[in-house]
Amino acid sequence: QVQLVESGGGLVQPGGSLRLSCAVSGFSFTIASVGWYRQAPGKQRELVAGITMGGSRNYADSLKGRFTISRDNAQNTVYLQMNSLKAEDTAVYYCNARTNQGDYWGKGTLVTVSP
């Protein structure tokens, strides 16, 4: 069974850091890339960062320098390190796997940045 399970969200103060994890399992076909997206209240879902199976990374321009995507192949996990968090980073963060059988999504993890 294909699963993407996010964890690591929570409440953090402005300027703080969080690391999100996406555990990937159950794929018997090719994953081209894994990405993090976010959706803030009243806004559309947007790409945060992505990493291909070849290791290439891409980021939303507005987040470069604060967010870092990485992966641990042995653990089948993709991480999103978020630093210098701002109130506008508050959103539900989703993990996405882009495969040759289509896109798969996790259920999301909530990140709230507030004093």
Side-chain angles (χ1 to χ4, degrees):
Q1 180 179 358
V2 170
Q3 280 194 315
L4 296 165
V5 180
E6 303 98 334
S7 61
L11 175 64
V12 62
Q13 293 186 341
S17 298
L18 279 177
R19 188 177 79 157
L20 306 183
S21 300
C22 174
V24 180
S25 63
F27 286 86
S28 60
F29 38 89
T30 302
I31 299 176
S33 64
V34 176
W36 285 97
Y37 289 73
R38 69 183 183 183
Q39 188 165 18
K43 295 188 177 181
Q44 290 189 333
R45 192 172 297 189
E46 63 177 358
L47 174 68
V48 174
I51 185 167
T52 69
M53 291 304 99
S56 297
R57 296 168 172 82
N58 66 292
Y59 297 93
D61 286 342
S62 61
L63 300 176
K64 287 180 180 178
R66 293 196 299 124
F67 288 17
T68 304
I69 191 169
S70 63
R71 67 182 187 193
D72 182 335
N73 290 337
Q75 298 294 324
N76 292 324
T77 301
V78 174
Y79 302 99
L80 183 69
Q81 178 66 43
M82 307 186 294
N83 298 327
S84 303
L85 284 162
K86 306 175 182 179
E88 51 263 42
D89 295 318
T90 294
V92 178
Y93 285 71
Y94 297 91
C95 184
N96 164 272
R98 184 148 294 173
T99 81
N100 60 355
Q101 301 292 319
D103 279 9
Y104 291 82
W105 294 89
K107 293 182 179 180
T109 185
L110 176 63
V111 172
T112 303
V113 184
S114 179

